[in-house]
Every structure is written in structure tokens, then in C-alpha cells.
Amino acid sequence: MEILAFGVQADEKPLIQRAFLGHHEVRCLDVFLNEDTAPIAAGYEVISTSVNAELGARVLEVLAAGGTRMIAQRSTGFNNIDLKAAERLGMTVARVSYYSPYSVAEFAWTLAMAVNRRIVRASTRTRDFDFRLDGLMGRDLRGRTAGVLGTGKIGEAFTRIAHGFGMRLLGWDVAENPECGELGMEYVPKEQLLAESDLVTLHVPLMPETQHLIDADALKAMKDDAILVNSSRGGLIDTTALVTELRAGRFAGVGLDVYEAEAGLFFLDKSLEAIEDDTLARLVTFPNVLVTSHQAYYTEDAVGQIVDATVRNVLDYRAGRRSENVLVPRS
């Protein structure tokens, strides 16, 4: 059987091909799955998709009409998939429920340190042989407060690094993580965490309950000189409200690896096009903001685990097995 994989990055392609070797043939495409590209999948029983695929009801109907019966998504998040429509159409859907939490946690820290120590501005200057220090002053993080919203595996990994920095630890989650508690984390209401934290990082899934978790009121509750990092999902932050606060001169730094309207932008080369998203265009102009293109997970270790799990999901589907990765079981 040949599997069709959408949205495959150049670095990812050899990993996917090697993982499927000896099991199934795989055809890798760099285009992302959406309503325009869905007809390409006609005749493929199994397809694999990336996190930015558009898998609403209309796309799923096109896939089902073309014979697709299984979708293996190469990500943990699945807010882009209409699971009810998939179930109605008799389609099996699986995701990757776990991969290296260190990849995302370490990258979140990379963003935090980059904006704190003005690394991008410093690098740009030295390329022009400007070696002044004006405007590059950061802060020691030791003794300051880290607020971790979401203390699952990634949040715990972030917390361990914060503990190594010697920071006070505040956490917020629906359930406390005892591992974080052993590191000295104090669980507090979200409002208290935002008000007292010098560094706020987001590690919660995007669901209706967490959409715009950091809204205008939450942003106003934060310290004027706080650092805000989001390496989870773009929809957790009300970006329009964030731009408003940035225009008012607030926040020491903001590091964003995700953006709520990133579909159709991230993972693509738009350098020769006019960006129609005025909010994103304004966001990247702020000197204290660093935006990257959803790359926190992008390490050899994490991508290797994602690909291996995707192969297992396909093999389980073919064998009629069900694992913790299955979101919609085989009918």
C-alpha cells in the first residue's frame, strides 16, 4: 500500500521514508492539505497530515469520496480536525500523543533568553559591525518568578530548567503535577500567576475552554516588564489585544513560535508576497518581539519520535488494533 504524506518538510522527508521502509511505500508532498489540494489524495486509503492541515468537514468529505479511510496526523494537537465529521464519514483518525517534551521546553527557553538578552538585535548590529551595547541590557532571571500555564510533560520540562536558573516557580493547571511540586512550584490562580510572574510561558492545549486564555484582561494583569512566551498554540493568545499592549510600550519581551492565524503562512515562503495579515505584519515590527514559524518541536529527536509513532498508527490501523493515539476508531 502507498501512503500519501502532506506538508512534509525537506528535513523530515528522509526520516519518513526511512521509517516506512519495509512496511509501506510513502509519497511525500511539500504542499499542505486543504480544500484545494484534497483531490490529490484520491485513491489513497491512508494519508498523513501536518499540524497546519485543514481538516474541516468539507475537506474530509472530499477525502472520503476519494477513498481515504485513515488520517495519521503527525502532531499532538488536533484542533484542526473535525472529529465528528470524520466519525460520520467512517474515517479513522490518529495523532501522536507523545514526543520529546524537551524539544518544545528548550525552545521556549531559547525564545525567553533571546528576547531577554536582545540576541536578534545584537546579531543584526554586529553583522553591520555596530558593536554598541545601547538598548541591549537584559536581566538576570535568577531570583525572579516563572509562571507556567500548563504543567504537563512540556511544562514540567520547562519548570526543571527554570528551577536550574534558581527562579521562584508558580504553576496553573486543572491538575497539579507532583513532579513540579517537588521542585518547589506553588500552584496559584491564573490571575495571581500573571500578576506576580516575570516570565510567563504557555503549555496548554488549544480547546474551546482555552481559546484566548491570554485575553485583553489577562495581558493587562501582567507586569509591564514581563516576558511572555508561547510555544504551544497560537489561539491561546488574543493577538489583537497583544498588539494593543505592545503599542502602549508594555512587556520586556514576547517570544512567539505560534500564531493564531498561522495556517496558510507558516511553513511557507512568503518573502516575495505582500502579507495581507495586518496584525502579524504589525507584530513583527516591535523590537521586543521575536516570532518564529512553529519550529519548537523541530529536532531530530522529536521528529524521529513523531514519524515512528505515525508508522505505528498506520500499522495498527491495518491490523485492526487501537492505541492511545486513536482519536476516531476504525468503524
Side-chain angles (χ1 to χ4, degrees):
M1 180 180 69
E2 187 177 44
I3 295 155
L4 183 63
F6 285 93
V8 177
Q9 304 298 313
D11 297 331
E12 186 184 15
K13 184 175 180 178
L15 296 177
I16 291 178
Q17 292 175 329
R18 187 163 56 245
F20 273 103
L21 189 64
H23 298 294
H24 297 289
E25 296 293 324
V26 59
R27 177 188 175 195
C28 295
L29 303 178
D30 59 2
V31 299
F32 294 94
L33 178 61
N34 54 41
E35 192 166 344
D36 292 329
T37 60
I40 300 173
Y44 287 90
E45 180 182 350
V46 176
I47 66 168
S48 178
T49 58
S50 63
V51 67
N52 272 357
E54 297 176 14
L55 287 161
R58 176 58 188 151
V59 172
L60 291 174
E61 288 168 359
V62 173
L63 293 174
T68 298
R69 294 292 174 263
M70 195 267 179
I71 298 169
Q73 177 140 300
R74 303 186 307 279
S75 72
T76 298
F78 54 90
N79 54 286
N80 60 318
I81 308 174
D82 188 332
L83 298 180
K84 291 183 178 179
E87 183 176 13
R88 171 174 56 81
L89 294 165
M91 305 176 78
T92 300
V93 180
R95 56 143 179 182
V96 177
S97 59
Y98 174 86
Y99 60 85
S100 169
Y102 310 107
S103 61
V104 179
E106 291 172 6
F107 193 83
W109 267 105
T110 301
L111 290 175
M113 294 305 295
V115 297
N116 178 40
R117 301 306 300 268
R118 314 292 192 257
I119 298 299
V120 175
R121 182 184 296 182
S123 176
T124 301
R125 283 185 183 180
T126 55
R127 284 178 179 272
D128 292 331
F129 298 99
D130 178 353
F131 299 103
R132 294 171 300 160
L133 299 182
D134 298 346
L136 300 183
M137 185 175 288
R139 295 179 293 174
D140 288 2
L141 292 180
R142 180 176 177 81
R144 288 188 161 85
T145 300
V148 184
L149 293 162
T151 57
K153 290 181 172 62
I154 297 174
E156 179 188 330
F158 186 96
T159 299
R160 290 188 181 280
I161 299 172
H163 180 262
F165 270 89
M167 301 185 75
R168 176 191 176 211
L169 306 172
L170 297 181
W172 175 87
D173 208 327
V174 293
E176 297 185 10
N177 184 336
E179 298 292 332
C180 292
E182 290 183 7
L183 295 171
M185 173 172 280
E186 177 187 0
Y187 280 85
V188 297
K190 183 183 75 171
E191 294 73 20
Q192 181 181 345
L193 181 149
L194 295 173
E196 297 182 9
S197 295
D198 300 290
L199 166 60
V200 175
T201 182
L202 308 180
H203 300 292
V204 300
L206 180 61
M207 303 179 291
E209 298 80 10
T210 59
Q211 177 75 27
H212 287 178
L213 180 70
I214 303 300
D215 57 12
D217 290 338
L219 291 165
K220 291 183 183 303
M222 293 174 61
K223 294 182 177 181
D224 288 343
D225 60 354
I227 293 171
L228 174 63
V229 174
N230 186 12
S231 57
S232 184
R233 289 291 182 268
L236 297 175
I237 296 179
D238 182 339
T239 316
T240 301
L242 176 61
V243 168
T244 298
E245 296 303 312
L246 288 166
R247 291 180 63 184
R250 300 190 64 226
F251 305 130
V254 176
L256 304 174
D257 185 50
V258 287
Y259 173 61
E260 61 181 324
E262 67 183 55
L265 290 172
F266 282 20
F267 305 142
L268 299 171
D269 182 2
K270 297 289 185 177
S271 60
L272 298 179
E273 301 177 25
I275 297 299
E276 298 179 359
D277 189 324
D278 292 338
T279 301
L280 178 61
R282 184 69 180 94
L283 190 64
V284 299
T285 65
F286 292 104
N288 57 334
V289 174
L290 174 57
V291 178
T292 53
S293 54
H294 207 142
Q295 69 183 81
Y297 77 99
Y298 207 54
T299 66
E300 292 181 6
D301 311 81
V303 173
Q305 292 168 0
I306 289 169
V307 170
D308 288 344
T310 300
V311 173
R312 290 196 301 272
N313 288 342
V314 173
L315 296 178
D316 285 345
Y317 162 78
R318 294 286 289 175
R321 296 186 297 262
R322 181 175 178 178
S323 72
E324 71 280 0
N325 290 340
V326 175
L327 299 170
V328 180
R330 186 170 186 172
S331 56

